Amino acid sequence: MSAPQDAAGWRSFICDACGYVYHEADGDPDGGLAPGTRFADIPDDWSCPLCGVTKADFTPYTPPGLDALRAQMQGSVHVPVARQTPGVVIVGAGRAGWQVAEALRSEDAKLPITLVTSCAGDVYDKPLLSVAVVRQLTPAQLVRENGTDAAARLNVRLFAHTHAVSIDKVSQSLRTTRGTLPYSRLVLAHGARPALPPSLPANLCWRVNHLGMYLQLRAALGEASLSGSKRVVIVGAGLVGSELANDLALGGHVVTLLDTQAEPLSRWKAERAGSQLLAAWAALPLRFFGGLVVKSIEKSAGALRVTTESGQTFIADQVIAATGLATPSRLAQSAGLSWHNGISVSALTLQTSEPGIHALGDCITVDGQASRFIEPIARQARTIAAAILERAPLPYEGRASVVRVKTTSLPLTLH
């Protein structure tokens, strides 16, 4: 694998999964690679510092020219911030990150707030991604407010297309791919990422966990009425997998849904959720196969061959992994934060084990329990805002969630 060299002879490689760029001159000290480590000398089992994929998922990278950099910078809004008041830095521009910004700004019009996100920071409703085909929602319709406008409205300094790399709790600073940001309070709202079993190669599977990836999937599939039906294999028949399978099948694609359990939505077996769905899907181009474990996925004759441990084979144009979520641990580890199936926080203030660092959303657990649903986020944001602004405490209370399964062939409400 070759890449253009800079003036000093160093090369760069980009992670195709998340966009992290490995510069040979800089190395990856946090990952055990000293500055000056050549890409060819990196062990094959080294993981991307941001998303965890392996060296095999990196390709040669040429930095964009000046015009491209200027265009990218237009996606960020910069609000002057006094050097002596670093203010609040929020990592993540999903619903959790923007909710914290909203909660803080509603109580304090002058508090410096900086939001760091690896995406454009657009405000959208993630649950709509699994019904967008049948509702005929365009990309523009999925975005409620673009990141630039949201930042201007809330007077937030937005660092779009910027990755958070590590936390220095001693100096109270966040290292990012666009420099180091000091903070007085840090809020981690970076969510969770799809958990990929070793048998599902990251470069052959879609993981639909944010708008950008979803739009790429939609582009790859095209419109069934225009480009013809695509064969889609979805691995994992939980909430997300079942909703996507239903939506894509209604959109005209031929869907195969695989799971290790005997029925979809096995978490709600007592409520017969799976058997009800299977009956509702009978007339759709959607077939479910339970009790199967995927052994491998390989490219074959322009398609993807999905092989199970029992020897069954399924051919697909696209494969989607819906195999659960896992909280990325890199930031938490860099700050030595307590970990219990996620970033462990106190229910009283949603503070982590480190004073001055809070967390919410999909990346946290309270007493070891995660709650990766939409409903708790607004309440969590208010708890954090009260703690940061030193208002009367608003302890966060975990509640049993009502789950609305958006399988439009048969919508379900589960508990």
Side-chain angles (χ1 to χ4, degrees), residues 132-154:
V133 172
V134 72
R135 293 189 185 182
Q136 299 182 326
L137 297 176
T138 66
Q141 291 171 320
L142 285 169
V143 176
R144 289 198 291 113
E145 184 178 23
N146 69 53
T148 302
D149 290 344
R153 175 174 59 83
L154 293 171

Side-chain angles (χ1 to χ4, degrees), residues 203-377:
N203 61 324
L204 298 181
C205 297
W206 295 96
R207 288 92 72 203
V208 184
N209 195 42
H210 57 77
L211 179 61
M213 187 65 73
Y214 175 77
L215 294 180
Q216 291 180 49
L217 170 64
R218 282 281 297 273
L221 290 173
E223 297 296 332
S225 59
L226 299 176
S227 59
S229 299
K230 295 295 193 299
R231 298 163 298 179
V232 181
V233 169
I234 300 177
V235 183
L239 186 63
V240 173
S242 295
E243 289 182 347
L244 283 172
N246 181 89
D247 197 45
L248 295 178
L250 286 171
H253 299 291
V254 179
V255 180
T256 300
L257 181 61
L258 308 179
D259 199 87
T260 58
Q261 301 300 311
E263 291 184 343
L265 300 177
S266 60
R267 180 176 178 180
W268 292 278
K269 184 176 181 179
E271 300 179 61
R272 297 183 59 253
S275 59
Q276 293 181 67
L277 269 188
L278 291 175
W281 288 341
L284 295 180
L286 194 172
R287 293 296 175 262
F288 171 78
F289 294 85
L292 298 180
V293 177
V294 173
K295 180 181 180 181
S296 64
I297 301 177
E298 300 172 315
K299 287 186 177 179
S300 175
L304 297 172
R305 181 186 297 273
V306 180
T307 304
T308 70
E309 291 185 353
S310 57
Q312 290 175 270
T313 299
F314 303 90
I315 304 300
D317 298 302
Q318 305 293 341
V319 175
I320 300 173
T323 47
L325 297 173
T327 303
S329 59
R330 183 180 180 87
L331 282 181
Q333 289 177 345
S334 70
L337 304 182
S338 292
W339 186 269
H340 190 179
N341 300 322
I343 301 173
S344 183
V345 297
S346 160
L348 181 64
T349 60
L350 295 185
Q351 181 174 277
T352 68
S353 58
E354 180 64 29
I357 302 179
H358 300 259
L360 79 162
D362 288 356
C363 65
I364 70 166
T365 60
V366 179
D367 297 325
Q369 296 296 315
S371 180
R372 294 184 172 127
F373 298 104
I374 296 296
E375 183 276 329
I377 291 177

Side-chain angles (χ1 to χ4, degrees), residues 48-97:
C48 172
L50 295 180
C51 72
V53 300
T54 64
K55 176 183 175 181
D57 294 298
F58 280 71
T59 53
Y61 173 72
T62 302
L66 182 59
D67 290 341
L69 287 172
R70 285 174 175 168
Q72 186 182 54
M73 289 293 288
Q74 292 177 358
S76 296
V77 174
H78 298 278
V79 178
V81 178
R83 291 183 179 274
Q84 66 273 19
T85 54
V88 177
V89 173
I90 302 168
V91 179
R95 179 182 292 265

